[in-house]
Amino acid sequence: MSLGHFGGWLLLCSLSLGVQAAADIPKLAPATGSAGINHQYDGPWEYFVGGGIATFDCNHDRKPDVFLAGGKHPAQLFINRSETGAALRFQPQSLNLSARDLTKVLGAYPLDMDNDGRLDLVLLRVGRNILLRGEKDCQFTKVNKAWQFDGGKAWTTAFSATFEAESMFPTLAFGNYVDRSAPGSPWGTCADNALLRPLTSGAAADSAVPVSRALPNYSEPMALTPGHCALSMLFTDWNKTGEAALRISNDRHYYRGGEEQLWHVPPGRPPRRYTRYEGWERVMIWGMGIAEGDLNGDGYPEYVLTSMGDTRIQILDDEAEEDRPVYRDIALERGATAHRPYTGDDLRPSTGWHAEFADFNNDARLDLYIAKGNVESMPDFTAFDPDNLLLGQFDQRFKEAGLAAGIALDRRGRGAAVADFNSDGLLDLIVVNRAAPVSVFRNRGALTDWGVRPMGNWLQLEVRQPGHNHFALGATIAIKTGNLTQIRKIQVGGGHASGHMGFVHIGLGVAERAQVRIQWPDGSWSAPYRLFANQFALIEKGSDRVRYWYPEAAD
Amino acid sequence: MRARQRGAGLLGSVYLLFLPGVVTAAAAEAVPLSWVAPTTIAQSSAVSHPAPPSSSQTTITAATPTHGASHTTSTHTPQAVSERPPWAEQAVRRPAELSMWQGSLSAEQLKLLTQYGEQLFTARFTTADGVGRPMATQAIIPTRRKRPSKTSFFRTAGLDANACSSCHHQPVIGGAGDFAANVFVSEGFNHADFDSLDPQFSNERNTNHLFGAGLIELLAREMSADLQAIRAATLRAARAQQQPITAALITKGVRFGDITAHSDGVLDLTQIEGVDSDLIIRPFSQKGVMTSLRQFSINALNHHHGMQASERFGARWTGEADFDEDEIADELSAADISALVAWQATLRPPQRKQPEHKGWQQAALRGERLFSRSGCAVCHQPALPLNSLKFADPGRWDMAGTLRTQEVSAVTHYDLALLEWSETLPRNAQGAVMVPLFGDLKRHKIADSEVSAFSNELLSQRFVARDVFMTAELWGIASTAPYGHRGDMTTLDEVIQAHGGAGRAARDAYLKLDEAARLDVVAFLKTLVLE
């Protein structure tokens, strides 16, 4: 008989439970060297902005692959070879595209534009934008001509897409920065933005042509005037009417008389700006990134706007009505202004770029990631500008955990992707940095005194509908655990030049099951799906059965 | 005064159990107290030298204020028993230095742990311990009330008992309860304060006995592992062969339907039966929806007593050490829960009684054959094989909110073979223990349009339909009347006749027997006793 050790795990977990009053801090372990992504975003002045990343599954293995903008360097695609629950690994994939088309890329967004069930790519460039049709085996074909997409010659820095009512193809919005050819450029010479509605002529309108064979036609762009040097844009259903409006975040550094914008985009009618008379108040910031998240589960999205200095979080004000978008800023009361570095001695204001709400610690509270980094060497702004990981607390405030989590690097962050790359239920992070290697972080679980431990329960959902808009852009997912309802939207746009399409991740905290309902893009609600936690569930419109996906088990 | 938390107070000093009437300081002396400090945590250096019990008072430290503690009522953590006079109002006689062992426990260690577990199981908890949840509901997910409940104790919505043993006591502590001890199960999210027996607000449930619960949990764990291994193998085969593969989910002879795996890793679970879609067997509660004794204990302590376990209701998952705002922080530690689990897990299994009455002996033998021949044993399987008697705490299948194996530096194991009763368990040719539970740990629809007595509820529970229940384990049934999930059937004949749905054929076969034969079946069931 041997007596065991005194103390042991219960002592230890009591300690952890007692001392740690706040939510779990995820350990985001650096994996840049080992992940196999050797890539930099760089270039002259035009590439001080941009630096996007698109994450999406191009080889139908349900693991997110990675497309990275390179600026003066060619953009690159990396195939996700990570094993389940193991180290992040990626493999470069050569593309049958001209080097010319792959350079001058600032950002990229994945979406299925031709309804073939494969994700296509929109490349934002300095000069002509490019549409790439997704093909087999992670290859792409340039389809500017086939889809009658001119691509323009602007300096494109923002993008969003939506399926307008009855439309078979997505409507695309491109945000452009400074018009470099205008007199006096760059000051006060913001370029117009563009709205591209698919034409409903020819094959597209012919119901005899199967959806999969019809082609989009983007031959008639519409100017969104005035442009105010957009750096991020997002189609969003701010008032729950089912009709997306277009929010545009603009850089006050270059505009004169500009402001943040919200556009009505009524189907079949010309877009127009929301005005002061409608309650839209003038907000002037160095707008660099937008993300939406429903912090209070009321179905009305809150928005984070990154800038130089204070980050904004906007919530509908009490004075708001269905047609009156009156917002107030709650970043201060939520502890999320993130206006200067949280570590180091440099107290100058920081510069925010990509923003994303996500649940990094699976506690059923949204966290906020913000990529930070000096534009280049602006003297009034901090040079050391670590990215933020603002963890949503149980009192609705946010608490900075970037340093403890391990992401406080001396890098000029730009775009980013938050996704579960190794299918372990934990959100990982890839950050595109200007003039420095891409940063890759693997989420290892909650930090403790003695290592890491698992965090809360989670669910990941793949949502599809038959016919066009296969990926259900515009769908709302309501996830109910107990009295808590969390909302997720399926959107394309926002962030900073970066988009993600894949499993929708939801942290469930201590709930071991959830009831999920989906409001499909046509406005109809699904019956409730009853799901157990820690699984990947596949939901298809019209079917009350859920299928499940299991990542390949690591042997 | 800020909440004082137990955390750092656990460091150092000698482990002494002060269990009045059970273990005294003198008893503790009988155990070699050669404790060594845990080596896995940085602070362990602080505990490398055993200190006298009194030192624990000085090591209890003020807690950091909890982020998000919007309610600033003063709270305090229950004191260790060494700090209290013998006449203190607390019912929890927590050892002066509560902690636990890593790795395998010796018989003596297990005994000490279970003795404290029994003390907790029988303790009539008081407000000084943390009874009450004025601002929390009975829900298993920490759920705050909008306003304080008007009553602290309330027979329907709870608090509805003073001790675990208030209900679990027939015929002995750990046993079942009669109709008077029924509880009213509601999710606790809506209508948390229901003051009605109206079944639209709650399901009324009779108290189950807990004897043999450790064996049940071990069986369920092995079955979950089997099912998940089948799932993994099926997915692997479908991927390798690039075609759909269908496999039967069979573990320990019980079939839980089929799964079909596709070559892309997609799994069709629409043909599974009697188990949740994550293929985890949840063997506890009449409904079969609780994974472990640990999970169930945490749920029940909150529901029935307002005693909240930190591992679910503490700061990590709620932001607050006193989530229920009863001014007691961290009411039950992980170690407390482990002690409760250990006591339940080590309860001896019910027995087969050999009646002295010769006629009963013969009737029981005939009845057992009829029980099998009528088809009762299809679901009420006389025994299921168990490969290992080693009980790990925490267990493998719990989810966040119930302590998980990866949340501790080393799991505690105790071998149920250390217990005397384990020697009485039969083994099969392969050496597996044949656990005589008379059950299959599977859920079945147990009502149909003609025989619908068991379809008498309005609410599904944890995604399980109203007329679906886990096969009741029949061991101990002779000592645990009344019967049925509501405890409203007083004879075995009545409850057999109430079986519809999956039990219909067996019930019909039973009814076709003549009266004497039916009595033989009863005679057999009456030998399954708790003693």
Side-chain angles (χ1 to χ4, degrees):
Chain A
M1 180 189 78
S2 73
L3 273 174
H5 297 286
F6 167 63
W9 60 264
L10 284 169
L11 173 62
L12 175 148
C13 64
S14 299
L15 267 177
S16 302
L17 290 169
V19 172
Q20 186 184 318
D24 278 351
I25 296 175
K27 178 179 180 178
L28 297 175
T32 302
S34 58
I37 295 182
N38 183 12
H39 184 85
Q40 279 198 33
Y41 177 79
D42 203 354
W45 178 60
E46 287 92 338
Y47 306 99
F48 287 2
V49 296
I53 169 171
T55 48
F56 62 107
D57 175 23
C58 65
N59 53 4
H60 290 257
D61 64 357
R62 290 194 163 82
K63 294 191 290 190
D65 305 300
V66 171
F67 182 90
L68 288 156
K72 71 175 184 182
H73 303 301
Q76 289 193 82
L77 177 68
F78 292 86
I79 306 300
N80 186 348
R81 303 288 184 208
S82 310
E83 290 186 11
T84 305
L88 305 189
R89 296 210 189 285
F90 297 86
Q91 197 174 45
Q93 164 83 28
S94 61
L95 294 169
N96 299 326
L97 295 166
S98 76
R100 202 176 136 197
D101 287 343
L102 288 172
T103 51
K104 300 189 174 182
V105 177
L106 284 97
Y109 288 84
L111 82 154
D112 179 12
M113 286 175 278
D114 59 349
N115 300 313
D116 65 351
R118 268 202 199 101
L119 287 164
D120 312 308
L121 273 179
V122 176
L123 304 190
L124 314 186
R125 296 178 71 245
V126 178
R128 193 175 303 282
N129 296 321
I130 291 175
L131 303 185
L132 296 177
R133 181 182 193 273
E135 310 284 0
K136 272 187 186 166
D137 303 325
C138 296
Q139 290 301 325
F140 294 86
T141 308
K142 183 176 172 184
V143 285
N144 284 32
K145 260 188 201 161
W147 296 356
Q148 303 186 50
F149 173 76
D150 176 73
K153 51 187 179 183
W155 177 5
T156 303
T157 41
F159 177 78
S160 189
T162 186
F163 276 82
E164 294 188 79
E166 311 296 322
S167 179
M168 186 179 285
F169 298 106
T171 293
L172 315 179
F174 290 86
N176 299 320
Y177 204 42
V178 172
D179 179 355
R180 292 162 299 160
S181 61
S185 173
W187 312 106
T189 60
C190 295
D192 283 345
N193 300 316
L195 186 76
L196 281 74
R197 284 177 157 148
L199 295 188
T200 52
S201 61
D206 183 352
S207 59
V209 177
V211 167
S212 59
R213 284 174 48 200
L215 296 178
N217 175 342
Y218 291 112
S219 58
E220 291 186 13
M222 192 183 298
L224 293 173
T225 307
H228 293 321
C229 294
L231 282 177
S232 185
M233 62 201 327
L234 182 64
F235 277 109
T236 175
D237 185 8
W238 69 273
N239 53 357
K240 287 208 286 188
T241 56
E243 180 185 303
L246 181 62
R247 215 177 213 277
I248 307 178
S249 199
N250 298 312
D251 185 3
R252 64 178 289 178
H253 195 69
Y254 291 120
Y255 64 60
R256 298 292 175 260
E259 61 178 312
E260 296 291 286
Q261 292 177 322
L262 180 66
W263 291 76
H264 295 270
V265 188
R269 303 219 312 271
R272 69 177 172 82
R273 275 190 297 161
Y274 275 90
T275 64
R276 226 62 83 228
Y277 297 109
E278 293 168 295
W280 181 251
E281 290 175 8
R282 175 167 230 164
V283 173
M284 296 168 62
I285 57 173
W286 292 270
M288 311 242 190
I290 308 174
E292 82 167 63
D294 191 344
L295 296 177
N296 54 7
D298 65 356
Y300 294 99
E302 279 70 62
Y303 301 92
V304 59
L305 306 172
T306 56
S307 180
M308 300 170 83
D310 281 28
T311 303
R312 308 291 181 103
I313 298 181
Q314 294 190 329
I315 192 169
L316 279 174
D317 189 73
D318 291 342
E319 289 177 24
E321 295 169 31
E322 185 180 295
D323 54 355
R324 288 182 62 78
V326 186
Y327 285 88
R328 69 185 167 87
D329 185 24
I330 56 169
L332 183 63
E333 68 192 58
R334 297 289 174 97
T337 51
H339 53 284
R340 70 179 191 208
Y342 48 82
T343 182
D345 298 327
D346 194 336
L347 300 184
R348 289 173 292 176
S350 67
T351 308
W353 300 86
H354 185 86
E356 192 157 340
F357 286 109
D359 191 350
F360 282 87
N361 55 3
N362 289 335
D363 65 352
R365 303 294 184 277
L366 278 176
D367 310 313
L368 174 58
Y369 166 80
I370 304 173
K372 289 282 184 68
N374 197 298
V375 172
E376 179 66 2
S377 48
M378 287 182 83
D380 290 340
F381 292 85
T382 185
F384 170 66
D385 206 353
D387 298 351
N388 299 100
L389 181 63
L390 290 153
L391 295 178
Q393 306 293 305
F394 294 97
D395 64 355
Q396 301 196 320
R397 287 174 60 82
F398 289 92
K399 192 172 179 186
E400 181 61 58
L403 183 63
I407 63 166
L409 304 188
D410 188 7
R411 291 274 189 278
R412 286 185 296 241
R414 291 294 189 265
V418 178
D420 177 7
F421 292 105
N422 58 353
S423 311
D424 61 357
L426 307 178
L427 289 173
D428 309 298
L429 174 67
I430 298 181
V431 188
V432 182
N433 302 299
R434 177 176 155 71
V438 162
S439 306
V440 181
F441 299 96
R442 175 182 166 202
N443 190 338
R444 301 299 303 264
L447 281 165
T448 67
D449 305 332
W450 46 277
V452 290
R453 60 178 171 179
M455 301 192 286
N457 298 319
W458 53 270
L459 259 182
Q460 297 195 57
L461 304 175
E462 179 187 284
V463 174
R464 296 285 185 268
Q465 60 178 9
H468 69 287
N469 191 7
H470 191 52
F471 290 78
L473 253 67
T476 299
I477 306 171
I479 305 98
K480 190 166 184 290
T481 50
N483 284 350
L484 176 72
T485 297
Q486 298 187 72
I487 303 287
R488 297 287 192 274
K489 296 276 177 79
I490 299 181
Q491 291 171 303
V492 171
H496 185 73
S498 302
H500 171 69
M501 186 61 76
F503 278 105
V504 176
H505 170 277
I506 307 108
L508 298 182
V510 299
E512 66 176 8
R513 69 216 154 88
Q515 186 168 288
V516 171
R517 293 182 76 209
I518 296 177
Q519 187 178 28
W520 297 99
D522 66 6
S524 63
W525 280 95
S526 75
Y529 296 98
R530 295 169 158 190
L531 303 176
F532 275 83
N534 306 334
Q535 304 203 85
F536 295 84
L538 318 179
I539 294 176
E540 180 129 0
K541 189 182 181 193
S543 173
D544 55 4
R545 292 177 171 184
V546 176
R547 296 181 306 150
Y548 294 84
W549 176 71
Y550 289 85
E552 216 158 337
D555 290 322
Chain B
M1 187 180 83
R2 289 236 166 85
R4 285 196 298 161
Q5 299 187 358
R6 212 169 299 123
L10 293 175
L11 292 171
S13 93
V14 177
Y15 183 101
L16 286 179
L17 281 163
F18 288 86
L19 304 178
V22 184
V23 178
T24 63
E29 279 172 15
V31 181
L33 292 171
S34 57
W35 317 111
V36 293
T39 53
T40 45
I41 52 174
Q43 293 93 323
S44 61
S45 58
V47 293
S48 54
H49 304 291
S54 59
S55 72
S56 66
Q57 294 175 34
T58 58
T59 54
I60 292 177
T61 57
T64 0
T66 55
H67 195 87
S70 54
H71 305 275
T72 52
T73 51
S74 65
T75 58
H76 66 279
T77 297
Q79 295 165 307
V81 71
S82 60
E83 298 174 64
R84 293 188 212 130
W87 56 90
E89 295 256 50
Q90 285 88 346
V92 174
R93 302 287 165 161
R94 185 173 286 109
E97 188 61 303
L98 177 63
S99 187
M100 217 172 95
W101 300 268
Q102 300 177 23
S104 295
L105 300 194
S106 67
E108 286 83 356
Q109 288 172 313
L110 182 56
K111 189 175 172 194
L112 285 175
L113 190 65
T114 55
Q115 281 169 332
Y116 177 52
E118 179 170 3
Q119 197 264 319
L120 282 172
F121 194 85
T122 54
R124 290 174 198 280
F125 298 118
T126 71
T127 49
D129 296 310
V131 156
R133 42 178 167 79
M135 285 305 292
T137 77
Q138 63 269 47
I140 55 175
I141 301 169
T143 301
R144 194 178 286 288
R145 293 175 187 277
K146 290 197 171 70
R147 58 194 72 83
S149 60
K150 288 179 184 162
T151 53
S152 56
F153 280 86
F154 201 66
R155 198 56 194 83
T156 49
L159 319 173
D160 56 358
N162 300 102
C164 307
S165 58
S166 301
C167 296
H168 292 281
H169 66 265
Q170 295 287 352
V172 290
I173 301 300
D178 71 14
F179 191 82
N182 277 5
V183 295
F184 299 85
V185 180
S186 91
E187 295 270 35
F189 301 121
N190 304 313
H191 311 296
D193 289 320
F194 63 94
D195 57 357
S196 164
L197 302 186
D198 187 327
Q200 67 178 304
F201 296 106
S202 70
N203 294 326
E204 182 173 356
R205 293 291 161 73
N206 192 228
T207 304
N208 279 336
H209 78 77
L210 294 163
F211 285 83
L215 297 171
I216 296 287
E217 182 161 345
L218 288 176
L219 277 172
R221 290 180 186 180
E222 290 186 359
M223 292 168 85
S224 297
D226 286 350
L227 296 183
Q228 305 223 354
I230 293 169
R231 182 177 71 193
T234 311
L235 284 159
R236 209 159 37 233
R239 279 186 161 112
Q241 298 170 31
Q242 284 297 297
Q243 61 177 16
I245 306 258
T246 298
L249 288 170
I250 300 173
T251 167
K252 302 192 186 296
V254 182
R255 182 167 182 158
F256 290 87
D258 298 331
I259 52 172
T260 300
H262 296 269
S263 58
D264 60 353
V266 170
L267 194 67
D268 182 347
L269 286 160
T270 52
Q271 300 303 312
I272 60 172
E273 295 167 8
V275 64
D276 294 317
S277 63
D278 56 4
L279 305 187
I280 293 175
I281 302 285
R282 294 182 163 84
F284 295 115
S285 78
Q286 311 235 24
K287 203 73 172 174
V289 289
M290 302 296 170
T291 306
S292 64
L293 289 168
R294 190 162 195 110
Q295 182 194 23
F296 188 87
S297 298
I298 293 169
N299 296 348
L301 284 160
N302 177 60
H303 181 159
H304 302 302
H305 315 301
M307 292 288 291
Q308 302 195 308
S310 296
E311 68 194 70
R312 171 122 22 104
F313 295 88
R316 184 182 180 199
W317 298 117
T318 66
E320 299 178 46
D322 180 23
F323 179 74
D324 58 359
E325 294 188 31
D326 62 1
E327 302 185 12
I328 306 283
D330 289 322
E331 292 162 10
L332 291 165
S333 69
D336 291 331
I337 303 299
S338 281
L340 263 175
V341 168
W343 183 73
Q344 294 172 79
T346 54
L347 282 174
R348 66 188 184 276
Q351 301 295 307
R352 280 287 276 282
K353 172 169 104 173
Q354 180 68 345
E356 287 178 15
H357 189 288
K358 280 274 187 278
W360 188 354
Q361 283 180 20
Q362 288 157 3
L365 276 176
R366 291 193 301 271
E368 185 172 8
R369 283 195 293 272
L370 289 169
F371 178 84
S372 182
R373 208 177 296 156
S374 303
C376 307
V378 171
C379 297
H380 295 286
Q381 294 205 15
L384 294 179
L386 177 64
N387 297 322
S388 170
L389 286 171
K390 290 203 169 71
F391 192 96
D393 179 38
R396 179 174 165 191
W397 301 108
D398 277 310
M399 295 183 179
T402 302
L403 200 66
R404 293 165 288 182
T405 51
Q406 311 94 316
E407 288 177 295
V408 297
S409 61
V411 170
T412 298
H413 294 274
Y414 32 90
D415 194 339
L416 301 186
L418 293 172
L419 302 160
E420 276 178 26
W421 55 254
S422 68
E423 290 161 17
T424 65
L425 293 169
R427 288 182 180 262
N428 67 10
Q430 289 75 41
V433 169
M434 296 304 290
V435 179
L437 76 168
F438 291 94
D440 59 1
L441 303 187
K442 179 179 171 182
R443 295 190 300 245
H444 302 271
K445 183 174 177 185
I446 198 65
D448 56 48
S449 58
E450 290 161 339
V451 183
S452 58
F454 286 141
S455 178
N456 59 350
E457 296 184 341
L458 291 179
L459 303 173
S460 63
Q461 185 185 352
R462 313 195 91 208
F463 295 172
V464 179
R466 39 199 282 287
D467 51 6
V468 173
F469 290 87
M470 177 154 281
T471 304
E473 293 103 39
L474 299 184
W475 60 358
I477 193 166
S479 311
T480 56
Y483 309 114
H485 55 258
R486 188 167 171 265
D488 52 6
M489 294 174 189
T490 57
T491 66
L492 290 163
D493 179 65
E494 281 172 85
V495 73
I496 295 169
Q497 291 203 38
H499 282 57
R504 179 66 185 274
R507 171 257 193 198
D508 289 350
Y510 167 83
L511 284 179
K512 279 189 189 143
L513 301 175
D514 60 30
E515 189 180 350
R518 292 204 297 268
L519 274 173
D520 286 345
V521 174
V522 171
F524 158 63
L525 293 171
K526 289 277 188 184
T527 64
L528 305 178
V529 295
L530 281 176
E531 283 184 332

